[in-house]
Amino acid sequence: MNEALPDVPEVRVVGLPQLTSGFDLVERLDLPMHLKVHGPLEPMGGEQLAQLSERINLKGRGGAGFPFHKKLRSVAESAIKRGIRPVVVVNGSEDEPACRKDTVLINRAPHLILDGALLVAEALGARQLVIGVTRESTERSMEAALAERGLSNRRGAAIRASVQRNPVRMVTGAAGSLIRSIDGGPPIPPGRKTSASKSGVGGAPTLLSNAETFAQLAIGARIGPERYGNTGLYDEPGTVMLTVSGAVARPMVIEAPTGVPLRYILQLAGAPPVPQGVLTGGYHGKWIDAATVNEAVVSRNSLDAVGGALGAGAILPISQDTCPLGESLQVAKWLAEESAGQCGPCYLGLPAAARGMEDILNGGGPAALEALKQVAKNVKRRGACSHPDGSAMFLESTVKAFTDDLAAHVLGNGCGRPVEGVLPLFEGGRMPTGIPGGAAEEESGSRQKIFVDWTLCRGHGLCADILPEVFQLGADGFPTVAQAKVPQYAEAKALRAVRRCPALALRLEEDNRASAPSRNLPVLSQGRGRRALGSGR
């Protein structure tokens, strides 16, 4: 049930390998073996590198798909304008339970990633390189790779290179989280969204991109745009790295040219011949049904056209024998736990959404479905990072993709199928963390809880302005929680909210219980009165 994938699962190749060249020879390509397999790499000027990136249509492989040449030019222009050296950051923070392609590359081909990163650093005149990771295996492999190249973080080095390890959490992979941690802060998104290209590490222009992106750049620089374009589709040349898990006989990472039929990738991993659905792009991705699978090919444009998403390259089929809503509920609960706990729409909205889906499965009827849709809509574009947006997209896609099962649960007695836990999660549902909103904080316990006295509350809304980590307002203008734990970092704001409430409707109490299973009690919808949902655990 929900077994975690190993750091380095089986690796397969469709066609000729590029990123995975040499994997058939050794488990890990150290520097001498890397040079034997790939050969040396000549440096390139900034504009030359930007033109190469544009000609091979290189886009970020971490999920967003932003054109790399635009990012490169933006960082260069900002650095020249401000007269300071930029910073290069490799984001190898692969924290989703269903993704392993970057982890595989860092563990088995770290020098290919470093090739691309050092190519960019030299072209931009950067003197600092940071590789962000979250796993012990990736930290160990990358530190060994830096040592093999004679790179370190000591003062006076031509380029200072270091590895930044953060906790395994969904939000630590966000660009803002990684930059904030490099600067010595907590690995959570900053409250204000800024462009790393303009102000990143230490306030300097920062080129931050995904690990596979740098590896692809190194391949393109070696073989040139013409040879690179001979593989894959004309408008999306090259290969992609995919993690295939879920209801498959053999979970694996696959390097495949763009344009390969998605059904072939599924067959390679031993997926059901006719899956009930396939989750594309991972847990911030979208479901497609069995009929659509036969139309789709592996490419960003193709998957977008059929309602799916390439995202971070995770592909997860489920069989006809499991309840898709129940499977999705387990993921929804995990996504709720992954909140950094600093934005009300995320901290409160995602648990409410998970409980809303559970309410549907427990016979809540059409009202529960409408409430879930409303909660998912309300969390979008209101967070400090993309986690609430991606989670809402997953929930909305689930409701849209499995209409027959949804009707069976909403209008009948359910679909009658079990929940087998085929979508991988970390053992115990999540990994231990030490950041706000994580499991470590729950174990230590928040010291305070805040309560709303409904007999006094008049809906002034000041609490939501002062303490958005806890309070958001419903359609009627009243807070959507009756009580909630206060994150330790927000205790001062909670006290200010209590003191400034015009109706004196708030109170704080010490929470001295050893464990408190429920977090808060969001009201699911105004149409159902103020009946609080259960904890959903």
Side-chain angles (χ1 to χ4, degrees):
M1 296 283 288
N2 296 119
E3 293 183 1
L5 295 174
D7 276 11
V8 184
E10 177 185 354
V11 178
R12 299 288 294 273
V13 181
V14 178
L16 295 176
Q18 289 189 357
L19 301 176
T20 59
S21 293
F23 281 22
D24 57 332
L25 303 174
V26 291
E27 283 299 308
R28 178 183 179 276
L29 279 74
D30 59 13
L31 185 57
M33 180 59 74
H34 168 75
L35 292 174
K36 286 181 182 178
V37 171
H38 293 285
L41 181 61
E42 296 297 325
M44 302 175 69
E47 182 55 30
Q48 185 183 7
L49 195 59
Q51 289 179 10
L52 169 69
S53 304
E54 188 170 9
R55 289 184 66 185
I56 66 175
N57 198 18
L58 181 61
K59 294 182 178 179
R61 302 302 177 91
F66 190 79
F68 190 81
H69 70 93
K70 292 185 178 180
K71 186 180 294 186
L72 190 63
R73 287 191 171 105
S74 177
V75 172
E77 290 170 3
S78 183
I80 292 170
K81 182 178 180 180
R82 295 175 57 189
I84 57 177
R85 291 189 181 275
V87 178
V88 176
V89 176
V90 177
N91 193 348
S93 309
E94 195 169 42
D95 307 317
E96 189 172 322
C99 293
R100 288 296 183 278
K101 52 110 174 171
D102 289 322
T103 303
V104 163
L105 285 175
I106 295 173
N107 273 286
R108 301 197 62 181
H111 289 285
L112 198 60
I113 298 166
L114 286 178
D115 277 347
L118 291 170
L119 200 64
V120 171
E122 186 160 355
L124 291 174
R127 292 293 179 263
Q128 183 179 3
L129 167 64
V130 183
I131 301 96
V133 299
T134 52
R135 303 173 188 276
E136 182 181 354
S137 65
T138 49
E139 179 184 34
R140 187 167 56 245
S141 179
M142 192 54 77
E143 286 185 340
L146 292 179
E148 288 164 7
R149 288 180 180 249
L151 296 173
S152 70
N153 197 29
R154 66 179 183 273
R155 291 182 179 275
I159 181 166
R160 299 180 63 177
S162 61
V163 178
Q164 172 72 29
R165 184 177 174 191
N166 290 327
V168 179
R169 284 293 303 277
M170 193 79 161
V171 294
T172 61
S177 301
L178 180 52
I179 289 172
R180 193 175 183 184
S181 69
I182 294 169
D183 284 338
I188 56 176
R192 184 168 57 93
K193 293 182 180 180
T194 58
S195 170
S197 299
K198 294 180 172 57
S199 179
V201 176
T206 299
L207 192 145
L208 184 149
S209 199
N210 165 263
E212 184 194 341
T213 312
F214 286 104
Q216 292 282 2
L217 181 65
I219 294 292
R222 275 189 170 88
I223 66 177
E226 288 78 16
R227 281 183 59 194
Y228 192 94
N230 289 337
T231 300
L233 299 171
Y234 173 77
D235 57 342
E236 292 184 54
T239 64
V240 294
M241 296 287 285
L242 306 170
T243 311
V244 187
S245 62
V248 297
R250 301 176 305 280
M252 60 180 61
V253 168
I254 301 174
E255 182 183 13
T258 55
V260 170
L262 180 59
R263 66 179 179 273
Y264 180 76
I265 297 296
L266 295 172
Q267 291 169 3
L268 197 63
V274 184
Q276 182 176 190
V278 177
L279 180 59
T280 59
Y283 296 157
H284 278 178
K286 298 179 181 180
W287 290 97
I288 58 177
D289 59 26
T292 305
V293 169
N294 293 326
E295 303 173 18
V297 301
V298 175
S299 82
R300 188 175 301 277
N301 291 338
S302 172
L303 288 171
D304 286 346
V306 298
L310 180 60
I315 306 293
L316 301 105
I318 60 171
S319 72
Q320 301 282 351
D321 302 324
T322 187
C323 173
L325 300 184
E327 298 288 347
S328 297
L329 172 60
Q330 295 195 19
V331 175
K333 288 181 177 180
W334 179 80
L335 289 169
E337 292 290 350
E338 289 300 289
S339 169
Q342 61 179 353
C343 303
C346 182
Y347 177 64
L348 301 176
L350 295 187
R355 292 164 189 160
M357 182 168 284
E358 188 168 43
D359 202 18
I360 292 173
L361 289 168
N362 292 335
L369 174 59
E370 290 305 313
L372 171 61
K373 291 180 178 179
Q374 187 62 43
V375 171
K377 179 181 177 181
N378 287 343
V379 304
K380 290 190 293 187
R381 294 179 294 278
R382 296 177 65 191
C385 69
S386 62
H387 181 56
D389 298 337
S391 302
M393 183 169 67
F394 168 79
L395 291 165
E396 290 173 337
S397 173
T398 302
V399 171
K400 183 179 179 180
F402 302 108
T403 52
D404 291 344
D405 292 87
L406 192 65
H409 285 283
V410 171
L411 304 176
N413 296 320
C415 67
R417 287 174 288 186
V419 177
E420 298 178 341
V422 297
L423 301 179
L425 295 173
F426 294 125
E427 291 183 21
R430 59 193 174 199
M431 296 284 280
T433 75
I435 67 175
E441 184 184 54
E442 285 189 345
E443 289 171 3
S444 63
S446 175
R447 291 177 295 180
Q448 295 181 338
K449 290 188 73 173
I450 194 165
F451 295 81
V452 178
D453 186 336
W454 295 117
T455 65
L456 298 175
C457 182
R458 295 293 179 266
H460 294 98
L462 194 60
C463 57
D465 292 333
I466 298 175
L467 195 62
E469 294 90 341
V470 173
F471 292 114
Q472 65 183 59
L473 303 181
D476 58 0
F478 285 81
T480 57
V481 297
Q483 57 178 291
K485 286 186 179 181
V486 178
Q488 291 187 16
Y489 67 89
E491 288 178 353
K493 291 200 291 183
L495 180 60
R496 187 158 67 249
V498 169
R499 289 174 173 172
R500 294 184 62 183
C501 177
L504 304 179
L506 301 177
R507 75 177 190 276
L508 277 174
E509 292 183 5
E510 293 293 323
D511 185 14
N512 297 319
R513 293 175 297 173
S515 62
S518 60
R519 279 194 169 194
N520 43 50
L521 303 173
V523 177
L524 190 59
S525 75
Q526 305 304 321
R528 302 184 70 183
R530 287 196 173 113
R531 184 177 67 82
L533 291 176
S535 67
R537 291 178 183 262

